[in-house]
């Protein structure tokens, strides 16, 4: 009997260690614990005394202010609603993105919690997302999720034809001209990466070096997304392992280049995570998107 108890204790201890490694530091947003939206010019999700800021670009017209709503949520009673109306004249891009994991501000774990290029630590992002009814297929580019790099030193890349920063990992909706499914009840999306050899979309499918998965979601239905990635120590080009899960099923296992070298291009060595709506200008398009059960956790060193 004593050896059975010892085995159980050993297994329990191992599971506790594994759980601790996987879940610290972490951030959870299920919008059921008193989270609220504050501010109009720069909306903030206030959660457990922390403020998660939204970036809104000039020329962006919101369908309504971001809201925490209590209808048709993935896990009741509440979820986040974000909406965008047709663009203001002469706007260059439209954006409302909530910075759910900052690349430079306070995150769980403090400085040790910040995601860094080549830190060799696994980062997991999990969230539920629903596209609202009467969702407009974008004319050009539109994303709802991104892991992004900033550009700290523009002089190193001043003569380049593209910016070596921005979304290095993202979920993009396929634009109208590249749709394969004509049924308006569905929207197609791609999981994409960026690095010096993969910068632009042409086909929005696996013929593009930036696309590593193409799928579809039904408008009005909740879908669960999970992305896990690790940036490994490397030379001039950051490399990573990446896994993607849709509704609990693994769709992608990628190992290769991703992101931009801080030393070579002047890009930041830190990464942030954003959720919301980010698109090129559209004088007619309207989108509503809902988020729920957002969770981010990182492995320890």
């Amino acid at each position: 009997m004593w050896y059975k108890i010892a085995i159980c204790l050993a297994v329990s201890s191992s599971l506790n260690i594994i759980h601790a490694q996987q879940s610290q530091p972490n951030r959870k947003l299920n919008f059921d614990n008193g989270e609220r939206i504050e501010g109009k010019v720069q909306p903030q999700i206030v959660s457990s005394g922390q403020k998660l800021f939204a970036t809104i670009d000039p020329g962006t017209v919101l369908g309504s202010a971001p809201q925490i709503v209590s209808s048709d949520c993935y896990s009741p009673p509440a979820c986040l609603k974000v909406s965008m109306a047709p663009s203001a004249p002469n706007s260059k891009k439209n954006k409302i993105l909530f910075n759910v994991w900052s690349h430079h501000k306070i995150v769980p774990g403090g400085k040790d919690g910040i995601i860094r290029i080549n830190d060799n630590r696994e980062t997991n992002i999990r969230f539920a997302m629903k596209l609202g009814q009467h969702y407009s297929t974008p004319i050009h580019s539109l994303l709802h999720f991104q892991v992004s790099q900033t550009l700290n030193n523009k002089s190193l890349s001043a003569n380049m034809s593209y910016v070596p920063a921005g979304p290095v990992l993202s979920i993009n909706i396929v634009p109208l001209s590249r749709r394969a499914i004509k049924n308006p009840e569905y929207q197609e999306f791609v999981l994409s990466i960026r690095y010096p050899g993969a910068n632009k979309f042409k086909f929005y499918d696996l013929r593009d070096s930036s696309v590593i998965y193409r799928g579809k979601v039904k408008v009005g239905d909740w879908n669960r997304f999970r992305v896990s990635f690790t940036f490994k120590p490397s030379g001039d080009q950051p490399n990573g392992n990446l896994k993607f899960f849709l509704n609990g099923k693994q769709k992608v296992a990628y190992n290769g280049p991703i992101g931009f070298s801080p030393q070579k291009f002047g890009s930041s060595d830190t990464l942030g995570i954003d959720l919301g709506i980010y698109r090129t200008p559209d004088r007619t398009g309207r989108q509503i998107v809902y988020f729920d059960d957002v969770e981010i956790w990182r492995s320890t060193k």
Side-chain angles (χ1 to χ4, degrees):
M1 179 63 69
W2 66 266
Y3 64 86
K4 291 184 179 179
I5 295 174
I7 291 172
C8 289
L9 288 173
V11 171
S12 176
S13 176
S14 298
L15 290 175
N16 287 335
I17 291 172
I18 291 170
H19 178 74
Q21 289 177 337
Q22 290 180 340
S23 62
Q24 296 295 330
N26 64 28
R27 168 160 284 152
K28 296 182 180 180
L29 291 169
N30 61 14
F31 308 101
D32 302 334
N33 298 311
E35 292 95 341
R36 64 188 187 277
I37 304 290
E38 290 185 355
K40 294 182 179 180
V41 176
Q42 188 179 36
Q44 308 149 34
I45 300 173
V46 179
S47 172
S48 302
Q50 300 182 56
K51 294 183 177 181
L52 309 180
F53 291 88
T55 300
I56 302 179
D57 281 350
T60 299
V61 180
L62 303 182
S64 61
Q67 306 168 57
I68 294 177
V69 298
S70 56
S71 177
D72 299 324
C73 294
Y74 179 72
S75 62
C79 53
L80 175 66
K81 176 184 177 182
V82 181
S83 62
M84 190 172 287
S87 308
N90 302 318
S91 62
K92 294 183 178 180
K93 56 182 178 178
N94 302 151
K95 178 196 295 181
I96 174 169
L97 287 176
F98 280 98
N99 188 212
V100 295
W101 196 275
S102 179
H103 71 97
H104 66 286
K105 295 181 180 178
I106 295 174
V107 293
K111 290 184 178 180
D112 193 48
I114 292 175
I115 305 168
R116 298 185 181 278
I117 293 285
N118 300 340
D119 67 8
N120 207 30
R121 295 169 60 190
E122 185 178 69
T123 300
N124 286 271
I125 307 114
R126 181 164 55 199
F127 60 93
M129 185 175 75
K130 177 177 72 170
L131 307 183
Q133 296 293 338
H134 310 297
Y135 182 100
S136 300
T137 303
I139 301 299
H140 299 295
S141 63
L142 184 153
L143 65 79
H144 292 305
F145 158 81
Q146 68 171 6
V147 176
S148 65
Q149 248 182 308
T150 57
L151 184 59
N152 293 341
N153 186 350
K154 296 182 180 180
S155 64
L156 292 182
S157 54
N159 297 320
M160 295 184 63
S161 61
Y162 62 89
V163 177
V168 297
L169 171 62
S170 58
I171 292 176
N172 300 71
I173 301 298
V174 174
L176 190 63
S177 64
R178 294 293 183 263
R179 283 181 62 106
I181 300 173
K182 304 306 180 183
N183 186 343
E185 293 184 4
Y186 291 88
Q187 291 290 333
E188 297 164 277
F189 72 92
V190 294
L191 181 71
S192 67
I193 55 175
R194 288 182 66 242
Y195 56 90
N199 299 294
K200 297 180 180 179
F201 297 112
K202 182 178 180 181
F203 302 104
Y204 280 83
D205 59 32
L206 295 177
R207 288 175 289 179
D208 292 336
S209 55
S210 56
V211 174
I212 57 176
Y213 179 76
R214 177 163 169 158
K216 66 176 182 179
V217 292
K218 188 174 182 180
V219 174
D221 283 1
W222 283 100
N223 290 273
R224 294 175 292 116
F225 297 84
R226 177 183 167 188
V227 179
S228 302
F229 62 85
T230 303
F231 281 88
K232 302 175 295 182
S234 60
D236 279 349
Q237 173 56 54
N239 282 274
N241 292 327
L242 168 65
K243 296 179 182 178
F244 172 65
F245 302 81
L246 179 62
N247 295 320
K249 297 181 179 180
Q250 184 171 342
K251 301 294 185 179
V252 172
Y254 171 84
N255 183 8
I258 180 172
F260 301 92
S261 166
Q263 295 79 15
K264 187 174 182 179
F265 298 107
S267 309
S268 66
D269 70 341
T270 59
L271 299 163
I273 303 171
D274 302 286
L275 294 171
I277 306 173
Y278 186 14
R279 74 179 189 195
T280 54
D282 188 340
R283 293 186 179 182
T284 61
R286 297 177 181 273
Q287 289 88 25
I288 296 176
V289 60
Y290 298 82
F291 298 97
D292 207 348
D293 285 10
V294 180
E295 184 174 9
I296 302 169
W297 71 98
R298 305 201 68 213
S299 67
T300 56
K301 290 184 178 179

